[in-house]
Amino acid sequence: MANFKSYAKTPPLGWNSWDCFGAAVNESQLKENADYMAKHLKPYGWEYVVCDIQWYEPNAKDNDYNNFTPLNCDGYGRLMPAENRFPSAEGGKGFKPIADYVHSLGLKFGIHIMRGVPRQAVHENLPIFGSKFTCREIAHHFSVCSWNTDMYGLKNCEGAQDYYNSIINMYASWGVDFIKCDDICVTEFRKWDNPYTADYEIEMLRHAIDNCGREIVLSLSPGPAPRDKAAHLCKNANMWRLTGDFWDRWEPLHAMFDKCKEWEGISKRGNYPDCDMLPLGRISKNGTCHGEKNRYTRFTKPEQYTLMTLWGIFKSPLMFGGNLPENDEFTLSLLTNREYLKMHKSSKNAKEYSRKERAGKGTIVWCAEGKNCKYLAVFNTADKVRRIKTDLLPLTQGASLKALDIWANSELGTVKSSISCEVEPHGAKLFKLY
């Protein structure tokens, strides 16, 4: 097998079911979003269709978790899709029929998993496929998730590796191309949560994927991932979260500037610090998740430009969270801007260029290098329209360059020592200098 970093030569682009369908996504919804992606987004490089959490729970109905609810599990402690929600999984087929459908569209398929082994399998002491150990023998009964009751973490032992091998090999046989593993890279943001002590479980996942015979991108959640573990994360995963779940409010969007600055310089081929999903378009269709049910994103249009611009210049993976078939023209335009996507794919050395704020309001500027060009992102974090002038001399060394306003797709003529632009409240301008 090739080095896993070659599985994601550029930051992954895709759709994830969580922001719109929560824990209750079903087969028809996955296929509808795959159809939309194939028709409208695939020509622009979007490719992953990811089924998020609780796909193995028959009783899931909204964004909430049902504590200690029965899960659909095979005789070896491996979770299986709930057939009442994913009827093509009947007869032990798992997600293979859906993965085959997604692949037939020229796209890739992904799933969400939780770290560890199902408590249900531990209580029943089920055998592990291809192992002399049982699920009870590998369970670390003090290593539990504070917000989801489905799993026990694993001990650092031979049987635990056998279990991870068994599930990853099954996912590979289904045709899974992307795995988002949850409850595995968080720091201690609540006193009862496990800090970054499951590093051996990350390594077990890495070993299982490397030996499954299929190229599978590995994403770790939730955040904040610890900055001092960057080397370990780069060695074992393609992407990892910088924050907890990100939703459609200005305050966490503004806070992401600090996170991007903290992780500046780490992004490279195959390794991408992850700012989390894009809660844009139609979200929270099944429940009141961080806001009213079935809403269009609360971000203003200027804030949506800020979100896309920061994620793009920082080279975060882009995982769209809204229900794609309900996109309006503006939302679709954000996802299909070719100059923006070119920057996201091929730029390098992104960094904070300047920051001048008072009480969290002011100007932030980021820059990055492209092929025979520079990129400049100018953010207005104030609550009113402002004209912002940015000194270009440290970036251009006095050279005269043409300027393209990427979002407006408008040529601005030649710039040399500075660039001046009017920016909406909480908005952004993105320039290509060449």
Side-chain angles (χ1 to χ4, degrees), residues 151 220 304 361 426:
M151 316 290 277
L220 304 181
Q304 292 180 60
K361 298 178 181 180
H426 298 177

Side-chain angles (χ1 to χ4, degrees), residues 160-209:
Q161 183 65 68
D162 290 344
Y163 181 76
Y164 275 132
N165 293 345
S166 75
I167 62 170
I168 297 300
N169 287 338
M170 181 176 70
Y171 302 153
S173 74
W174 290 348
V176 169
D177 306 294
F178 183 104
I179 290 174
K180 173 185 174 183
C181 185
D182 218 334
D183 189 43
I184 200 164
C185 75
V186 69
T187 48
E188 193 171 8
F189 60 92
R190 298 187 189 95
K191 66 181 180 181
W192 56 82
D193 275 333
N194 293 309
Y196 195 92
T197 55
D199 53 353
Y200 59 85
E201 290 197 67
I202 296 174
E203 293 165 12
M204 288 177 179
L205 280 169
R206 175 78 275 133
H207 178 81
I209 293 173

Side-chain angles (χ1 to χ4, degrees), residues 209-221:
I209 293 173
D210 286 347
N211 290 279
C212 75
R214 187 173 184 82
E215 295 184 356
I216 299 176
V217 169
L218 178 60
S219 168
L220 304 181
S221 289

